[in-house]
Amino acid sequence: MMNLFESLIHKINTFYKMLHLTGIRGVLTLRPLPKPLFFILSIIHIFLNKQYIKLKLKGYQHPLFYRYNTSDQGIFYQIFLFDEYSSLNDLQEPKLIIDAGANVGFSSVYFLNKYPNAHVIAVEPDDENFKLCEKNLSFYSERVSLIKSGIWSHQTGLIVCNDKNNESAIQVKECQSGEKADIYAIDIDNLLNNSAFTSVDLLKMDIEGSEAVVFSDKDAKWLTKVRNIVIELHGKECEQQFFEALSTYDYDLSKYGELIICKRLSPKISKLPNKVTIIKK
């Protein structure tokens, strides 16, 4: 728990990081504004007929778009300001990255800029998130495959469960008899088979609990083709299924906040436990 002094220092550091990365526009729009200022900004935004706010990031060639006063700001902070994927800095020129649960495309944009030779397959099930993801990734069209679907253990119909108060917490569930599918699921095997690649250098997964289904597949042969995983696990069942699926693999395990990072996956030849590194925020 931070004391008041540490909290103040943290806020000042965050402010300067944001100012350096986004300029004054980011400072004004990425932080919640007082209601009068927010009302004025909303009126201007409506008057200009703008659905999204455009932001330029230092070091990024193309702009980024986001929705004000949504979960987009929190995700932006995690990825671009607090660099939550910094634990992947030692990856050697990944060629294929699968972004499972791409949301509005921030993580894909981050990876595309960090790894200029990589191709990203971005998968997102929600309509509104997908539209914004498509806009953010349009500048990288030749290096991106964008798929409106949900990651599952097998191909099936899925129902999208929206959370109106949290655009980053979109869940899907398998259709039951008599239910109409919103989308059709795709599995990692098919993603890979339909690509021009034979292996996945990085699997980023944040699919709000569906990982319990994905990793429950005992015939998940696609795991042998995955080199590195960064995943957010949602609950005990997800954690159990994930680590059970990886029980026959050797890998370097680290943790950063809510992220679990498994590097250099290979079929297990050692009986030694996997080394765990805790990386604090």
Side-chain angles (χ1 to χ4, degrees):
M1 182 70 69
M2 289 189 294
N3 60 37
L4 288 176
F5 178 74
E6 290 173 331
S7 178
L8 178 61
I9 294 298
H10 176 73
K11 288 180 179 179
I12 292 172
N13 287 338
T14 299
F15 174 85
Y16 278 107
K17 280 184 181 179
M18 187 161 54
L19 186 64
H20 177 75
L21 180 64
T22 67
I24 192 65
R25 184 180 180 87
V27 172
L28 291 175
T29 60
L30 280 168
R31 294 290 291 176
L33 293 173
K35 287 185 178 180
L37 290 178
F38 173 57
F39 177 75
I40 294 171
L41 180 66
S42 300
I43 294 298
I44 294 173
H45 212 55
I46 292 170
F47 178 76
L48 294 175
N49 195 29
K50 299 287 187 181
Q51 185 178 3
Y52 308 121
I53 295 175
K54 180 180 178 180
L55 198 63
K56 281 289 293 179
L57 275 62
K58 186 174 181 179
Y60 285 72
Q61 182 180 356
H62 304 296
L64 203 66
F65 295 87
Y66 65 98
R67 300 162 295 193
Y68 184 74
N69 202 31
T70 65
S71 60
D72 295 356
Q73 280 93 329
I75 298 173
F76 179 94
Y77 268 58
Q78 290 173 349
I79 295 173
F80 297 106
L81 213 61
F82 302 139
D83 201 10
E84 71 173 0
Y85 294 122
S86 59
S87 57
L88 302 172
N89 285 346
D90 61 345
L91 290 193
Q92 299 298 313
E93 291 298 320
K95 295 291 187 271
L96 177 63
I97 298 171
I98 293 180
D99 188 351
N103 195 254
V104 298
F106 290 170
S107 49
S108 291
V109 167
Y110 175 92
F111 293 135
L112 287 162
N113 281 272
K114 189 173 186 65
Y115 307 112
N117 296 317
H119 184 90
V120 171
I121 300 176
V123 185
E124 171 57 38
D126 179 67
D127 278 332
E128 293 305 314
N129 287 345
F130 186 87
K131 288 177 186 175
L132 184 48
C133 187
E134 191 172 35
K135 187 173 183 66
N136 279 321
L137 298 182
S138 62
F139 305 101
Y140 309 88
S141 56
E142 294 183 357
R143 298 177 54 208
V144 173
S145 302
L146 183 55
I147 301 172
K148 188 174 183 295
S149 182
I151 301 291
W152 210 249
S153 60
H154 56 280
Q155 296 186 48
T156 185
L158 297 176
I159 293 174
V160 180
C161 308
N162 299 75
D163 185 340
K164 298 298 183 183
N165 297 315
N166 188 350
E167 298 80 2
S168 67
I170 304 299
Q171 295 181 318
V172 295
K173 64 177 183 178
E174 189 167 5
C175 283
Q176 301 301 311
S177 178
E179 293 182 320
K180 182 180 179 181
D182 294 321
I183 56 172
Y184 288 91
I186 192 164
D187 56 78
I188 305 278
D189 251 336
N190 275 283
L191 278 179
L192 193 54
N193 292 338
N194 292 329
S195 74
F197 300 87
T198 57
S199 62
V200 183
D201 295 299
L202 176 61
L203 172 60
K204 171 259 170 179
M205 186 174 285
D206 186 358
I207 53 177
E208 301 301 322
S210 295
E211 64 270 20
V213 177
V214 173
F215 287 96
S216 67
D217 182 7
K218 304 306 179 186
D219 296 319
K221 296 178 182 178
W222 55 267
L223 261 177
T224 63
K225 303 172 186 177
V226 177
R227 304 291 174 255
N228 304 278
I229 300 175
V230 56
I231 187 170
E232 185 171 333
L233 298 172
H234 301 82
K236 291 293 184 182
E237 182 185 359
C238 297
E239 185 175 331
Q240 180 180 344
Q241 294 290 0
F242 176 71
F243 285 110
E244 185 176 326
L246 266 62
S247 62
T248 57
Y249 290 83
D250 283 320
Y251 53 89
D252 297 330
L253 176 64
S254 61
K255 298 180 181 180
Y256 183 98
E258 296 178 333
L259 296 180
I260 303 294
I261 303 103
C262 301
K263 295 180 185 175
R264 293 174 279 276
L265 268 74
S266 62
K268 189 180 279 291
I269 57 175
S270 169
K271 294 184 178 180
L272 293 174
N274 293 304
K275 180 183 177 182
V276 180
T277 304
I278 307 297
I279 306 173
K280 294 183 179 179
K281 285 189 176 181

